Amino acid sequence: MSGYILDSEIKFLPGVGPKRAQLLEKELGIRVFRDLLYTFPFRYVDRSKFYAISEINSASAYIQLRGTIQSVSLAGAGKATRLIAVFGDGTGYIELVFFKGVKWIQEKLKPGQEYIVFGKPSVFNDRYNFVHPEVEPVSSAAAFGRSAITGVYSSTEKLQGGGISNKTFTALEQRLLSLVAGKIAETLPEYFRQQKKLIPLEKALHDVHFPPDMYALEQARRRLKYEELFYLQLSLVKQKFIKMRDATGVMFPRLGEAFNYTYTHLPFPLTGAQKKVLKEIRADVTSGRQMNRLLQGDVGSGKTLVAIFSALQAIDNGYQACIMAPTEVLATQHYNGIFRYIDPEKVKVALLTGNTKIKERREIYEGLADGTINLVFGTHALIEDKVQFANLGLAVIDEQHRFGVDQRSRLWSKSDIAPHILVMTATPIPRTLAMTLYGDLDVSVIDELPPGRKPIITTHVGENQRRKVYEFMKKEIDAGRQVFVVYPLIKESEKMDYENLEQGYMDITEYFKQPDYITAVVHGKQTPENKAFDMNLFVSGKADILVSTSVIEVGVDVPNASVMVINSAERFGLAQLHQLRGRVGRGVEKSYCILMTGYKLSKESRERIDMMCSTNDGFELAEADLKMRGPGDFEGTRQSGLAIDLHIADLGKDSPMLEDARSAAFDILTEDPLLESPRNALLARNLNEMRGQVVDYSKIS
Ligand code: ADP
Ligand code: MG
């Protein structure tokens, strides 16, 4: 829609100009009118009421007071000079403190005059004060905006420096809104708005910036959130429908020798959840359509076996299968583990990683190209150009969030036929997020652990208790168990992290002396050979303790390990803590996870640690994580290459609305798959325009 007013460049808005335009684009990504209009306040301030100074308590948020300046004075000297104004309202007195712009503010504040003071009270020397509040003479306070409820926009230092304060920003929004009044095109069909009781777009955009009252604000936000979620789902569901129509899948009708051999040689029965998921997969691979399935299951829930049984179905029907893992350790472990379950006479298996020797590598390439290899495990080495399959029928991707979208999609182009796709993750993703991240995939969940697992006992201890932790480790090791000790590794503080790990390693080897105790150490700075050597020491049971960074955590299976000690646990996210904890508790013995932290914890860190101590349920933790941190930080969101860029909706808090929007999208597309009916013309057009803005989800699988 060229010429549409919302597409006008922001520099053309009166009061902006080229300089501010540059600043707005650089700091907030605001390029055109639409961008400014869709930059919503992140917080609202209720100025409909004045508080009394006597009412102020520790819970007081942003509030406004009305009263008189009693006195103004300077305190401190040099750089520490500050301005203190004593302000009273008849119920008490409070100090207003200014560190910056002292001169200018001093001129503005006149003792004896009435002011409105607005800010957040803080505590200093056991008394409340206001640091840098907004102060306006009562006489001019009317200019503060029309509504009692005002929005606060997020700002940056550079914006402030460039003269774009919250007040300026608010003024720009107001100017823009009057400029575009009557010219904003509605984006949802009338019939749909009525059905969902959504207010018109133009009103919503006005009220979200300048709400006349709380009810109007709520309606405005609901309308804008709904639209955002709805179009996202419409786009996902449409792709899903197209894929279902287009992608014919290979058929695996037979359950044959390979499958049955493994089934009868299992040392334990499958769990109900494993059976349920296998049935879902069975239905997919006999449907004639290509399978695109996400399998979620907590650490240790037995996803590998599901992958193997799926692969065996491919093999029994004359197709090849591959299972790709993010690390060499994992791929090797999968490979070594399979010989417990298969008949090597009937199923020819190979392992392909970056370390596979050239001669062997060549043989594997040949075997895959001529079809003599039935099943291949591997790492990224599987997606190199040289790898070609004779007839790849199934591709499994383990720990899928560790792979980029692009890497994954390359796997499906390795064969003439479109293979069935099974992606697996041990990072439980809350339903709402899964619906969005993987909105075009079918989702299976293993929600049951194999029997006999005892819950892992999680405790939180201070760093000063290290000796006690060592004593406890010793007790477990003397009873024949093994122990993980993990240190965080964060890019920004990499150097210090390695120092911590080294220090920790020395400390441990000091306490756990060789040859009575063997301690292995694994981190990213070692040569691959050293890493593999130490890893092996631990996996084979020769080492009692494994000291490592967190980067190697995924998927390693050492059933004899019973203790996981996590240093600086406050620096990890919930999902990662849970992943790490999942490394123990795999055998039958009682297992422990010890979270060590410093004394001073932020409120969020404490919440996370408490959460970890209170539940072993990965899904519960994932939901909590999403609520606490939002989807942007969610593990897997960033790596997967899917930026979920929502302006106003919140996947954590708006999940009922998301479900409603998704089912609305389903209903509309079921009736009108190509959005051809005239009443859906608006939807079709808007969806088309969204392309390019929204990530192309169709590439995921
Ligand atoms: P994950 O889902 O984390 O990949 P794995 O597939 O590695 O879990 O399984 C964890 C452990 O549980 C393995 O040692 C595996 O042999 C075992 N296991 C898998 N399924 C069952 C089952 N049905 N009963 C008992 N143990 C099982
Ligand atoms: Mg696994």
Side-chain angles (χ1 to χ4, degrees), residues 304 334 398-399:
T304 315
H334 281 156
D398 196 12
E399 308 297 349

Side-chain angles (χ1 to χ4, degrees), residues 218-417:
E218 229 177 86
Q219 291 305 305
R221 286 174 57 82
R222 194 174 89 82
R223 146 82 209 213
L224 294 166
K225 284 180 180 189
Y226 199 97
E227 163 162 0
E228 193 165 51
L229 295 171
F230 172 71
Y231 271 107
L232 184 60
Q233 290 302 327
L234 194 65
S235 143
L236 290 167
V237 175
K238 187 149 180 266
Q239 281 166 33
K240 189 186 171 94
F241 277 28
I242 290 170
K243 205 179 284 171
M244 270 163 56
R245 196 195 55 202
D246 290 351
T248 43
V250 287
M251 294 282 279
F252 301 161
R254 260 166 54 85
L255 285 182
E257 277 183 332
F259 189 98
N260 289 330
Y261 178 94
T262 302
Y263 202 82
T264 49
H265 283 77
L266 271 187
F268 40 68
L270 292 176
T271 63
Q274 282 170 320
K275 282 188 193 157
K276 176 194 75 186
V277 172
L278 277 171
K279 259 191 205 144
E280 287 165 354
I281 292 172
R282 184 89 200 115
D284 288 347
V285 298
T286 52
S287 71
R289 275 200 237 100
Q290 187 202 16
M291 171 172 81
N292 279 291
R293 190 167 283 281
L294 170 71
L295 172 55
Q296 290 194 51
D298 218 335
V299 248
S301 61
K303 292 185 294 298
T304 315
L305 264 184
V306 172
I308 288 171
F309 275 117
S310 309
L312 294 172
Q313 294 179 51
I315 294 164
D316 273 337
N317 289 277
Y319 290 96
Q320 295 165 297
C322 75
I323 300 181
M324 184 161 83
T327 63
E328 165 120 30
V329 172
L330 262 183
T332 310
Q333 194 170 289
H334 281 156
Y335 173 75
N336 291 333
I338 186 123
F339 296 101
R340 279 181 285 174
Y341 302 128
I342 59 154
D343 177 359
E345 298 286 302
K346 302 261 157 44
V347 182
K348 183 102 191 340
V349 194
L351 172 68
L352 182 65
T353 73
N355 281 340
T356 310
K357 296 279 173 314
I358 294 189
K359 184 166 164 285
E360 199 186 342
R361 182 182 290 252
R362 242 183 247 130
E363 283 167 16
I364 293 174
Y365 289 160
E366 265 170 42
L368 291 174
D370 67 18
T372 43
I373 295 174
N374 309 115
L375 174 59
V376 62
F377 292 92
T379 56
H380 298 79
L382 283 174
I383 50 179
E384 277 168 27
D385 288 339
K386 286 189 186 132
V387 180
Q388 287 299 327
F389 289 86
N391 56 355
L392 184 64
L394 170 79
V396 181
I397 293 158
D398 196 12
E399 308 297 349
Q400 61 75 35
H401 64 274
R402 306 261 296 217
F403 291 100
V405 176
D406 179 52
Q407 290 173 316
R408 275 180 272 148
S409 60
R410 273 162 67 183
L411 198 51
W412 343 145
S413 54
K414 294 241 157 256
S415 174
D416 295 337
I417 46 173

Side-chain angles (χ1 to χ4, degrees), residues 33-64:
F33 285 7
R34 178 188 290 101
D35 301 331
L36 181 63
L37 207 51
Y38 278 82
T39 303
F40 304 132
F42 73 96
R43 174 162 76 68
Y44 294 85
V45 169
D46 189 354
R47 291 191 176 239
S48 56
K49 147 177 193 180
F50 289 105
Y51 280 75
I53 290 176
S54 61
E55 280 182 280
I56 295 176
N57 60 51
S58 61
S60 299
Y62 284 78
I63 55 173
Q64 62 180 356

